[in-house]
Amino acid sequence: MDEIIIKGGKALSGEVTVGGAKNAALPILAATLLTGGKFRFQNVPDLRDIDSIKELLATMGADVQTGDGEVHIDTAGLNHYEAPYEQVRKMRASILVLGPLLARMKKAKVSLPGGCAIGARPIDLHLNGLELLGADIALEHGYVEAACDQLTGAEIYFDIPTVTGTENLMMAATLAIGTTVLRNAAREPEIIALADVLNQMGADISGAGTAVITIKGVKHLFPVDTAIIPDRIEAGTLMVAAALTRGNVHIKDCDPLHLKAIVHKLEKTGATVTADATSLTVKGNGPINSIDIKTMPYPGFPTDMQAQFMVLLSVAKGFSVISETIFENRFIHVSELRRMGADITISGSHAMIKGVKSLSGAPVMATDLRASASLILAGLAASGTTTVSRVYHLDRGYEFLEKKLALLGAAIKRVPAQTKP
Ligand code: EPZ
């Protein structure tokens, strides 16, 4: 297991390019199961989670080839409808194959994804929706066993605007007979990106990006050649790195329209942000202002940026409060930040942060994807050296983050974990 070593105190400067969005690529690659044929995807990020979904598609009989940021998938040979536990446990978003498999093969057997570090992560809203579309759902031996003669359109109301739930049901409904309406649907840019690709494939979807999505079922879908949108969470993470180190960083190939909540909050902390259609520049200025943050479904402040902003606020002037409303256990990074000198008190879903003058470098351990990014950020700002272990968590969702930061002037390197004596 690799470690990342950071010597803090360097102001970042220069230009960095954002990669393709993990959370757009995952449902889009799963959507290839909806039809047979040759797909080509560009700007696919090189991440462990993407490897996981590619492996899963290959076990189902798809031919998956990767090279130069492109992924080519031929689903003509699809001959399996099972997503086994040993693969789903590696990446819970594998549940995204459930809807497409059911729609195309009329049956699916997918391991229950189980929880993860940040929460129980139930899938009841996915399963309730599929039942409304006419599927028979059974939970046996840790698996979801789903079957149908033919999915039929329905009205589906989500108690919570679930991102992958919206994606699963949107994909399943494309081949249903009749019209499906998803109400209280998630509105993330990744939902819009998936709907765009499905419509390119011949689906008839309207309303993506709003709380009401209408899917008119069609008989067939066709393979496409398309590109993945930029990763707004990687962009946001790089923006925080620039502000935190009082740097001046130009972030290219992103979509500032997806970053409005992040820009709004970053400017309130005192950073300067300028943007054009496909890039933005973040300048960190003097003292960092304390602010309050409440994570919300899009277009609110994203929960996937909560840990990163906590680092920024841990060295702000005064008190800040972060309220985490999406996941029940997404403060795991706090204990490691405290070891670096952060003054943070947790009360239920709220974190009270008293800004300190500086963090101090320490050996810390990553626990989940965004927590690992926050520890890297903390190391950039801390005095002294920080060693982040278990960086396989980071590699799930960030493409060579340490290389991008080093190109911006950070004193950061990846080393094989020291074999303990
Ligand atoms: C997606 O997870 C993202 N993952 C997460 O990103 C992100 O944090 C999350 O949306 C919220 O924005 C992918 O897109 C692959 P939800 P998802 O269903 O779809 C509850 C990252 O770091 N819920 O929107 O699993 C759930 O417990 C990852 O890239 C139910 O109760 O999240 C949570 O409290 C982490 N029943 C809330 O809804 C359900 O059936 C939102 O979850 C489904 C969800």
Side-chain angles (χ1 to χ4, degrees):
M1 288 190 279
D2 292 353
E3 294 176 333
I4 288 180
I5 300 172
I6 309 134
K7 280 195 179 57
K10 303 265 187 183
L12 301 187
S13 67
E15 188 168 275
V16 65
T17 301
V18 174
K22 168 178 81 80
N23 290 348
L26 290 172
I28 288 170
L29 293 186
T32 60
L33 294 171
L34 286 165
T35 188
K38 292 192 168 101
F39 291 78
R40 176 180 177 235
F41 298 110
Q42 301 173 69
N43 199 36
V44 182
D46 178 8
L47 304 170
R48 284 181 64 230
D49 275 7
I50 300 299
D51 293 343
S52 298
I53 194 104
K54 292 191 294 187
E55 284 160 24
L56 180 54
L57 294 174
T59 58
M60 290 178 183
D63 177 46
V64 182
Q65 304 296 329
T66 300
D68 305 327
E70 292 192 3
V71 174
H72 295 242
I73 299 177
D74 185 344
T75 50
L78 192 72
N79 52 25
H80 270 59
Y81 60 86
E82 181 171 340
Y85 170 69
E86 50 276 2
Q87 292 201 300
V88 176
R89 70 179 175 81
K90 278 191 288 186
M91 205 261 302
R92 59 181 317 287
S94 307
I95 194 66
L96 284 165
V97 303
L98 178 58
L101 280 175
L102 195 54
R104 174 155 176 225
M105 305 191 73
K106 308 293 186 284
K107 55 188 171 187
K109 184 179 176 186
V110 179
S111 168
L112 279 163
C116 72
I118 64 177
R121 313 293 293 276
I123 58 166
D124 55 308
L125 301 177
H126 300 235
L127 302 182
N128 297 345
L130 291 173
E131 284 181 323
L132 287 172
L133 291 179
D136 294 320
I137 303 278
L139 301 183
E140 313 233 334
H141 311 297
Y143 279 78
V144 176
E145 304 217 19
C148 63
D149 297 329
Q150 169 59 51
L151 294 177
T152 50
E155 284 259 337
I156 297 169
Y157 173 79
F158 291 116
D159 292 345
I160 300 169
T162 161
V163 172
T164 49
T166 300
E167 292 165 344
N168 237 335
L169 273 300
M170 194 159 71
M171 289 189 281
T174 55
L175 294 175
I177 291 179
T179 299
T180 297
V181 179
L182 305 180
R183 297 191 186 282
N184 196 26
R187 299 165 53 188
E188 274 72 1
E190 293 75 30
I191 306 278
I192 299 173
L194 174 62
D196 288 350
V197 171
L198 290 170
N199 283 338
Q200 290 169 38
M201 291 170 61
D204 183 351
I205 299 171
S206 56
T210 75
V212 181
I213 302 176
T214 301
I215 306 107
K216 291 184 181 137
V218 296
K219 287 200 178 314
H220 297 291
L221 294 171
F222 309 93
V224 290
D225 177 343
T226 190
I228 302 298
I229 63 169
D231 192 314
R232 61 192 169 96
I233 304 302
E234 182 190 17
T237 304
L238 293 165
M239 292 164 69
V240 171
L244 181 65
T245 60
R246 277 52 162 208
N248 184 345
V249 176
H250 184 64
I251 299 168
K252 282 178 54 188
D253 296 350
C254 64
D255 186 339
L257 291 178
H258 297 162
L259 295 161
K260 287 189 171 181
I262 297 168
V263 170
H264 171 70
K265 288 296 184 183
L266 205 56
E267 288 178 329
K268 284 179 73 82
T269 67
T272 308
V273 183
T274 53
D276 62 24
T278 60
S279 70
L280 43 75
T281 299
V282 177
K283 273 184 70 190
N285 306 310
I288 295 167
N289 305 323
S290 54
I291 61 168
D292 294 343
I293 287 175
K294 183 175 183 181
T295 64
M296 291 296 281
Y298 194 91
F301 185 89
T303 175
D304 292 348
M305 283 298 303
Q306 179 256 104
Q308 298 92 313
F309 265 75
M310 187 176 283
V311 176
L312 186 65
L313 298 176
S314 64
V315 289
K317 294 189 314 310
F319 268 95
S320 304
V321 178
I322 293 182
S323 302
E324 172 55 63
T325 73
I326 306 293
F327 291 112
E328 65 270 27
N329 190 36
R330 203 168 196 175
F331 287 142
I332 312 167
H333 42 284
V334 169
S335 52
E336 293 302 89
L337 293 177
R338 282 188 187 128
R339 295 186 56 248
M340 297 179 71
D343 183 347
I344 304 169
T345 306
I346 302 297
S347 172
S349 63
H350 307 284
M352 270 68 77
I353 304 145
K354 181 173 182 289
V356 296
K357 195 166 173 350
S358 168
L359 297 176
S360 61
V364 289
M365 190 185 295
T367 52
D368 63 87
L369 170 54
R370 305 304 173 182
S372 52
S374 74
L375 296 175
I376 300 280
L377 294 177
L380 294 175
S383 58
T385 300
T386 298
T387 301
V388 183
S389 60
R390 301 193 179 183
V391 292
Y392 56 84
H393 289 290
L394 186 77
D395 297 336
R396 294 192 51 179
Y398 288 93
E399 199 174 7
F400 314 122
L401 182 61
E402 77 279 358
K403 288 181 183 169
K404 293 188 177 184
L405 293 171
L407 286 173
L408 292 172
I412 184 171
K413 62 180 177 180
R414 179 187 289 252
V415 297
Q418 304 306 317
T419 45
K420 299 288 176 262

